[in-house]
Amino acid sequence: MHFLVVDDRFGTPIYVFLERDPHGQTGYPGMYVREVSLEAGLNLVTGRRSELGRDPASLGKFREFTSSGAVARAGFILIEPHYVGPNWEGYCSQFKPEGVKPPKKSGRPQLPPRPARARATEAAS
């Protein structure tokens, strides 16, 4: 059993599969949550990202596959982009749905670069 949240706040919907119900977790924005089944795939390589597919006959059944081709051959619908993890905080720290925050600016204003000076030999000619 997993908890599915479709995070559509930033343009492209991200399918977030969580092991724990995100309600009450730090930073969770209160989106709709649905309980779904996520079947572990066979022959998955450790450390390699798996692909997810949804059973076209059931909106609540998902399965892991070794590749997007394997998803298609099984007759499932490819789910992309996606995140599978323990909690909402893990999703936000790993997937960064809001993007990478720019570095803080110092209090000093940035000056444009100076134009290059002509060398003495060029100036004499």
Side-chain angles (χ1 to χ4, degrees):
M1 175 77 62
H2 279 77
F3 297 91
L4 172 61
V5 177
V6 180
D7 186 355
D8 60 358
R9 298 174 295 162
F10 306 104
T12 300
I14 303 167
Y15 295 81
V16 182
F17 295 85
L18 304 172
E19 295 169 5
R20 288 178 276 187
D21 188 341
H23 289 104
Q25 291 182 18
T26 304
Y28 181 67
M31 292 180 274
Y32 179 74
V33 178
R34 189 169 59 144
E35 291 184 22
V36 297
S37 68
L38 178 58
E39 183 181 329
L42 302 174
N43 304 321
L44 293 177
V45 178
T46 305
R48 186 171 172 201
R49 187 170 188 266
S50 63
E51 298 296 334
L52 289 185
R54 181 180 63 81
D55 185 338
S58 175
L59 294 176
K61 290 179 70 178
F62 296 83
R63 185 186 308 166
E64 288 182 302
F65 293 90
T66 56
S67 68
S68 57
V71 172
R73 285 190 297 277
F76 278 59
I77 300 165
L78 183 65
I79 300 298
E80 195 60 39
H82 70 271
Y83 168 83
V84 179
N87 56 31
W88 185 258
E89 187 177 331
Y91 160 65
C92 290
S93 67
Q94 183 177 343
F95 211 85
K96 303 197 185 328
E98 297 177 24
V100 177
K101 299 205 184 320
K104 291 189 177 196
K105 295 180 181 178
S106 66
R108 303 164 98 193
Q110 294 288 332
L111 299 175
R114 290 182 171 173
R117 293 184 185 182
R119 293 191 288 182
T121 56
E122 292 175 7
S125 24

